[in-house]
Amino acid sequence: MNLKGKKAIVTGGSRGIGKAIVIELASQGCDVLFTYFSSVEAAQNVESESKKFGTKIRALQSDASKLSEAEKTVNYALESFGGLDILVNNAGISKDNLLLRMSENDFDDVITANLKSVFNFTKSSVKPMVGQRYGRIVNISSVVAITGNPGQANYVASKAGIIGFTKAIAKELASRDITVNAIAPGFVITDMTRKLNEKQKEAIINQIPLKKIGQPEDIARVVSFLVSENANYITGQVIHVDGGMVM
Ligand code: NAP
């Protein structure tokens, strides 16, 4: 995938899937501005690791939940890179609990960090994309948006919301050659899933036809496909990258 000269924003690029996306896009020739919430050291490491590809890499502390911070981030990317072609809405959190024990705050926090953040960054990014009549947007949803999952009503609602948002915006923006797609990862080894114990991991592997947990790079490679010329005729789709869990 050759993305030479393209300019990208990736939210939540300090760890896990976001980090793999930053490295993959940089390795294909992209200038990348990535955000993080609090992991300063991890973000600095991603910045130095990605610089070896010779493109411009910027890390920025920016709370994806806040529209004003998304606007500042997009302006910083436009100033630093002179344009914006690609947006990857990856930042996300989970605060799991059964509904009867789930607090209103935990519901609101997850919806705001996972779904409102996608609105914030997409709204802030589309103006320059519409102006140049080109843009590639990829939103990271989840397998549980399709299957449901007990103990994750807030998370599942946010990830299902991302799919609806993706389809609505794909239709709004298609005439300007802006594609908008979602990826629904299955279980991927990151800090978000590392807290599972061995028994829980075994139970998960049993539900996966390919019989293995995914790696962050499995998701990153599909992002780089969706933002490349090879995917020019794909929009409004949900790509399942889950070892066959959803068929
Ligand atoms: P992770 O390892 O926990 O990393 C989350 C990233 O998001 C970090 O870079 C974090 O920054 C950032 N972040 C969180 N809240 C933020 C905020 N308000 N503003 C800006 N950045 C924020 O998670 P992951 O497993 O890589 O997940 C990445 C995405 O994939 C998420 O949307 C997740 O829901 C989705 N997903 C993951 C899996 C999986 O199995 N891992 C499966 C399906 C979908 P800090 O480092 O500063 O905290």
Side-chain angles (χ1 to χ4, degrees), residues 12-18 35-39 62-65 90-93 113-114 140-143 155 159 185-193:
S14 50
R15 293 184 285 122
I17 294 171
T35 67
Y36 61 96
F37 185 61
S38 58
S39 305
S62 167
D63 183 356
S65 313
N90 164 79
I93 59 168
N114 293 5
I140 306 298
S141 176
S142 170
V143 63
Y155 184 82
K159 293 297 176 180
F187 288 92
V188 179
I189 280 292
T190 67
D191 293 342
M192 200 178 264
T193 43

Side-chain angles (χ1 to χ4, degrees), residues 84 121-131 137 169 173 178:
L84 179 64
F121 267 87
T122 308
K123 187 173 164 65
S124 308
S125 299
V126 291
K127 215 172 164 193
M129 289 180 178
V130 166
I137 300 174
I169 300 305
L173 299 174
I178 299 172

Side-chain angles (χ1 to χ4, degrees), residues 196-214:
L196 299 170
N197 63 37
E198 283 311 308
K199 212 172 155 203
Q200 288 169 313
K201 278 189 196 153
E202 203 186 307
I204 287 166
I205 289 170
N206 280 334
Q207 300 167 40
I208 306 173
L210 283 178
K211 294 287 170 233
K212 55 184 175 187
I213 292 187

Side-chain angles (χ1 to χ4, degrees), residues 165-175 178-181 235-236:
F165 183 88
T166 299
K167 292 181 182 183
I169 300 305
K171 286 196 171 171
E172 274 187 37
L173 299 174
S175 65
I178 299 172
T179 66
V180 191
N181 292 290
T235 195

Side-chain angles (χ1 to χ4, degrees), residues 147-164:
T147 62
N149 206 21
Q152 288 199 306
N154 49 2
Y155 184 82
V156 172
S158 72
K159 293 297 176 180
I162 286 176
I163 292 178

Side-chain angles (χ1 to χ4, degrees), residues 92-161:
I93 59 168
S94 58
K95 291 191 176 184
D96 300 349
N97 224 329
L98 294 172
L99 183 62
L100 286 177
R101 291 193 205 131
M102 187 177 286
S103 68
E104 188 180 2
N105 277 348
D106 282 357
F107 187 84
D108 289 346
D109 286 352
V110 171
I111 296 290
T112 309
N114 293 5
L115 178 58
K116 170 100 184 321
S117 60
V118 176
F119 164 82
N120 294 340
F121 267 87
T122 308
K123 187 173 164 65
S124 308
S125 299
V126 291
K127 215 172 164 193
M129 289 180 178
V130 166
Q132 71 197 8
R133 292 189 163 260
Y134 178 86
R136 295 288 174 264
I137 300 174
V138 179
N139 300 322
I140 306 298
S141 176
S142 170
V143 63
V144 297
I146 312 297
T147 62
N149 206 21
Q152 288 199 306
N154 49 2
Y155 184 82
V156 172
S158 72
K159 293 297 176 180

